[in-house]
Amino acid sequence: MAKAKSVIITCAVTGGIHTPSMSPHLPITPQQIASEAIAASEAGASIIHLHARNAEDGRPAHDPDVFMEFLPVIKQSTNAVVNISTGGGLGMTLDQRLAAARRASPEMASLNMGSLNFGLFPLLDKYKTFKHDWEPEFLGMTNDFIFKNTFKDIEYVLKDLGEGHGTKFEMECYDLGHLYNVAHFVDRGLIKPPFFLQLIYGILGGAGAEIDNLVHMNSVADRLFGDDYEWSVLAAGKNQMGFASTAGLLGGNVRVGLEDSLYIGRGQLAESNADQVAKIKRIVEDLSLTVATPDEARQRLALKGGDQVGF
Ligand code: KMH
Ligand code: ZN
């Protein structure tokens, strides 16, 4: 396992999974997204993973014009690495998912390393009333939905954003097979070291949030990639902090943020992304580890630099 010198904290500030009725603290407008991102960076996050939403009703919206309302504000106020999602919102076409990253030419973008079922419909049992009709419809449709990321799709993103823009990827691996998909593209020369894996636990359709799944995926990644990679962990919902802490202990990096969990503790909504970042930073430092600065993250991940982006 590649040992992290310091722990890179990624914060995913809003995502496209949770809906406005689930938490009043979920950032929706460009102003809210910008101020949450800036506060998360001040709290210790060196990478900010970004989605956009429709300011009227909070629906996931991957419109480049909306991104351009908050990206320059974040850039002016922080040194954080900006990472734009290419997952977008469930149900978008690949070109819709790519449009914002194409316009912004960021240092990093997400890249989902395989197709999978992506079941959010169990949340309908937890939340009974919704502010907007789209929310239960969106959650319900995931009962019959495949998050499509074929080999052709992945190749398209690697060539378009990777070769075309010099963007490096947060490679989202939801299950063991996705590591082998990464290895396939390494063999073809389309993924070059150092590369960054985000190991994801607790999405219905992907690997469950059990620590032995994390340990096993780590040992397979070590076998496949040796010292060529850095890895990070995110776990959905109540497993977020436990998995992030375990990742720190095992020599990895961590991701938190309201995209992945709306909570700060048992039954307690997080009031901000920065609260989650501050909590994992405290845990990491209590474990006698240090937190990476944005420039350390840039150097370790061989990013092109914050002055090479299109915003
Ligand atoms: N929502 C996470 C489970 C993406 O944006 O490309 C994974 C994610 C996907 O962040
Ligand atoms: Zn995301």
Side-chain angles (χ1 to χ4, degrees), residues 110-116 118 147 149 154 169-183 191 195-203 205-208 213-214 217-218 221 224-225 229-235 255:
S110 70
L111 176 55
N112 292 272
M113 290 311 300
S115 301
L116 68 155
F118 209 108
F147 184 34
N149 300 285
I154 295 168
F169 296 99
E170 175 196 9
M171 287 185 268
E172 318 277 6
C173 297
Y174 300 78
D175 218 333
L176 188 63
H178 296 177
L179 298 179
Y180 290 88
N181 295 350
V182 173
I191 295 174
F195 50 87
F196 187 58
L197 305 184
Q198 190 69 261
L199 308 180
I200 301 178
Y201 298 93
I203 296 290
N213 289 340
L214 167 58
M217 278 177 70
N218 273 329
L224 291 172
F225 309 125
Y229 78 111
E230 292 256 2
W231 60 281
S232 175
V233 167
L234 82 85
R255 173 168 137 174

Side-chain angles (χ1 to χ4, degrees), residues 128-141:
K128 293 295 174 206
T129 55
F130 292 94
K131 286 189 217 151
H132 308 285
D133 290 346
W134 73 265
E135 298 176 71
E137 285 163 17
F138 168 75
L139 299 172
M141 74 85 183

Side-chain angles (χ1 to χ4, degrees), residues 5-204:
K5 295 171 200 68
S6 54
V7 177
I8 298 169
I9 302 178
T10 297
C11 181
V13 301
T14 188
I17 290 180
H18 294 121
T19 70
S21 301
M22 296 176 184
S23 170
H25 309 297
L26 187 68
I28 304 289
T29 66
Q31 294 74 18
Q32 289 167 342
I33 291 171
S35 61
E36 284 286 304
I38 292 163
S41 154
E42 285 166 355
S46 47
I47 302 177
I48 305 291
H49 170 114
L50 290 159
H51 294 239
R53 289 179 183 265
N54 177 313
E56 303 300 315
D57 64 6
R59 185 192 298 260
H62 229 57
D63 179 347
D65 290 339
V66 180
F67 275 86
M68 285 304 171
E69 288 184 47
F70 56 75
L71 292 177
V73 183
I74 296 170
K75 183 179 169 183
Q76 277 153 25
S77 309
T78 78
N79 184 32
V81 174
V82 165
N83 170 348
I84 296 186
S85 170
T86 67
L90 302 180
M92 296 175 184
T93 66
L94 186 57
D95 281 316
Q96 287 169 335
R97 288 161 49 183
L98 276 176
R102 277 187 173 130
R103 171 91 71 90
S105 195
E107 290 184 87
M108 291 190 83
S110 70
L111 176 55
N112 292 272
M113 290 311 300
S115 301
L116 68 155
N117 292 337
F118 209 108
L120 305 178
F121 58 91
L123 290 168
L124 288 170
D125 297 332
K126 181 166 176 189
Y127 300 94
K128 293 295 174 206
T129 55
F130 292 94
K131 286 189 217 151
H132 308 285
D133 290 346
W134 73 265
E135 298 176 71
E137 285 163 17
F138 168 75
L139 299 172
M141 74 85 183
T142 65
N143 193 26
D144 189 25
F145 174 77
I146 295 169
F147 184 34
K148 177 174 134 3
N149 300 285
T150 62
F151 290 107
K152 187 176 168 190
D153 294 338
I154 295 168
E155 178 181 341
Y156 185 67
V157 180
L158 287 169
K159 288 187 172 160
D160 189 312
L161 285 181
E163 294 183 353
H165 290 264
T167 298
K168 299 267 291 193
F169 296 99
E170 175 196 9
M171 287 185 268
E172 318 277 6
C173 297
Y174 300 78
D175 218 333
L176 188 63
H178 296 177
L179 298 179
Y180 290 88
N181 295 350
V182 173
H184 168 79
F185 286 105
V186 171
D187 288 346
R188 286 171 55 184
L190 278 167
I191 295 174
K192 296 187 184 67
F195 50 87
F196 187 58
L197 305 184
Q198 190 69 261
L199 308 180
I200 301 178
Y201 298 93
I203 296 290
L204 182 60

